[in-house]
Amino acid sequence: ELVKNLIAQFDEALLLESHNFHQTVQKAVGHFRAAPHRQPALAGLSYPAEPAALKNLLRDYLDSVDEVTPLAAESRGIISPHIDYPRGGPVYAGVWAAAAEAIQQAEFIIVLGTDHNGGLGTLTLTPQNYASPLGVMPTDQRVVNRLADVLGPDVAFADELHHRREHSIELVLIWLQYMRQGNPCPMLPVLTGSFYHFMTGHANIEDDRILVDFVNVLRDEMAQRRTVIVASGDLAHLGPAFDEAPLDAAAHAQMKTDDDALLENLCQGNAESFFNFMKAGQFRRNVCGLSPFYLTLQALGQTQGQVLSYDRCPADTTNTSFVSVCGLVWQ
């Protein structure tokens, strides 16, 4: 009886993969999709919920950029941080200001954001539109449906509820909307899971048909209209806040050295080179943008990048943990 009671409590708390659990998930997905748009999860918490205050905040970050180097409208992809604005605001501003013309002229925008709760190699879609205090960005339903047909709906939407709270797309969406001056544009929001199994040799990325088919669809869509891909990901996460050793002055300096090597590789614009570089040991630095960076490079094909901004942001109160972030544009 004790065991039965315990199981019943686990089931009620949705801790078991049971009929009750799956039924509850389906109800939650239905409720999520029935809403007119995905509600911003961090408005009023991580950034102002009032549009004028939010615009003022972003304008202040842009005004603080020492020198903006406008890039050509042909820029096809960018790396944007997804760290909170108080720590990463200037890095966001550096890359979004430089890529403004490409963002404004884009006819289709793909956002590949790290799924911090995602499984191994997952790609998670949603037909839902994304909203922020600056308005609603429509999700391209046709492309979502096409990908769901190719990947299979069980794959494409298995973790759709992760979109509700994940910040990696939300925090770049606001910059997208601001730089486009409120002009909506069809968007494809995709959450990408961990590549740990590829990094450790437990799976071969070249044999993963889901990723291959996904990239092929993106390439085909990109060939039909002016497209910009936004890879929303941060760089290394080091120190006790991430179950790593504390960073002293020497380790802090080494973090910059390792990041420079990573950024140099990313600027080479070759997906295979980047993958091999990360697999050789860099993945152990907890680079959370690994999967969106790789998939963006695969979709773009051979390209060349330019680093616009970079910083190492404190991640604890003792300055022994840091997250590095960058802004980069691929031509």
Side-chain angles (χ1 to χ4, degrees), residues 36-290:
H37 49 252
R38 181 246 191 213
Q39 291 285 351
L42 299 177
L45 298 173
S46 184
Y47 57 82
E50 203 279 321
L54 180 54
K55 291 178 181 178
N56 289 337
L57 176 67
L58 301 184
R59 188 178 303 114
D60 287 345
Y61 286 135
L62 290 167
D63 290 344
S64 70
V65 178
D66 293 334
E67 182 178 352
V68 177
T69 305
L71 299 177
E74 287 73 27
S75 300
R76 299 184 298 149
I78 76 171
I79 290 178
S80 172
H82 58 231
I83 199 169
D84 58 272
Y85 294 165
R87 289 183 292 173
V91 178
Y92 280 98
V95 67
W96 286 97
E101 187 175 356
I103 296 299
Q104 290 163 5
Q105 294 191 23
E107 299 169 331
F108 179 46
I109 296 173
I110 300 168
V111 182
L112 304 180
T114 303
D115 188 348
H116 292 86
N117 294 299
L120 297 175
T122 56
L123 296 170
T124 301
L125 309 180
T126 181
Q128 184 56 284
N129 303 316
Y130 262 74
S132 83
L134 302 184
V136 178
M137 190 73 85
T139 293
D140 193 312
Q141 306 290 329
R142 180 189 63 79
V143 179
V144 171
N145 291 336
R146 180 183 179 187
L147 281 167
D149 288 341
V150 171
L151 306 180
D154 290 343
V155 170
F157 303 121
D159 294 324
E160 184 178 353
L161 290 181
H162 290 188
H163 280 272
R164 292 191 304 182
R165 304 297 302 177
E166 175 58 59
H167 63 273
S168 63
I169 294 177
E170 179 174 341
L171 292 178
V172 301
L173 168 72
I174 290 168
W175 283 92
L176 268 172
Q177 293 173 311
Y178 184 78
M179 301 312 296
R180 288 184 60 85
Q181 301 175 347
N183 181 28
C185 176
M187 181 178 79
L188 175 68
V190 183
L191 294 176
T192 66
S194 170
F195 274 12
Y196 185 78
H197 57 321
F198 299 133
M199 294 289 104
T200 55
H202 289 89
N204 187 342
I205 198 167
E206 295 178 355
D207 296 334
D208 193 308
R209 291 307 310 172
I210 296 297
L211 296 184
V212 171
D213 292 344
F214 173 74
V215 169
N216 285 338
V217 171
L218 293 193
R219 287 175 176 171
D220 184 61
E221 292 293 335
M222 293 165 64
Q224 300 177 36
R225 48 187 164 167
R226 186 187 291 267
T227 303
V228 174
I229 304 182
V230 180
S232 173
D234 296 331
L235 303 180
H237 296 62
L238 301 177
F242 311 105
D243 298 324
E244 302 283 344
L247 271 68
D248 56 17
H252 190 244
Q254 184 62 47
M255 183 181 191
K256 174 66 164 56
T257 299
D258 291 338
D259 283 337
D260 286 343
L262 170 58
L263 293 173
E264 180 181 356
N265 185 280
L266 283 167
C267 285
Q268 293 173 10
N270 183 279
E272 183 179 359
S273 172
F274 169 68
F275 181 86
N276 291 333
F277 178 82
M278 296 303 299
K279 188 175 181 180
Q282 281 278 334
F283 78 94
R284 299 192 184 281
R285 299 198 308 127
N286 303 314
V287 177
C288 81
L290 198 168

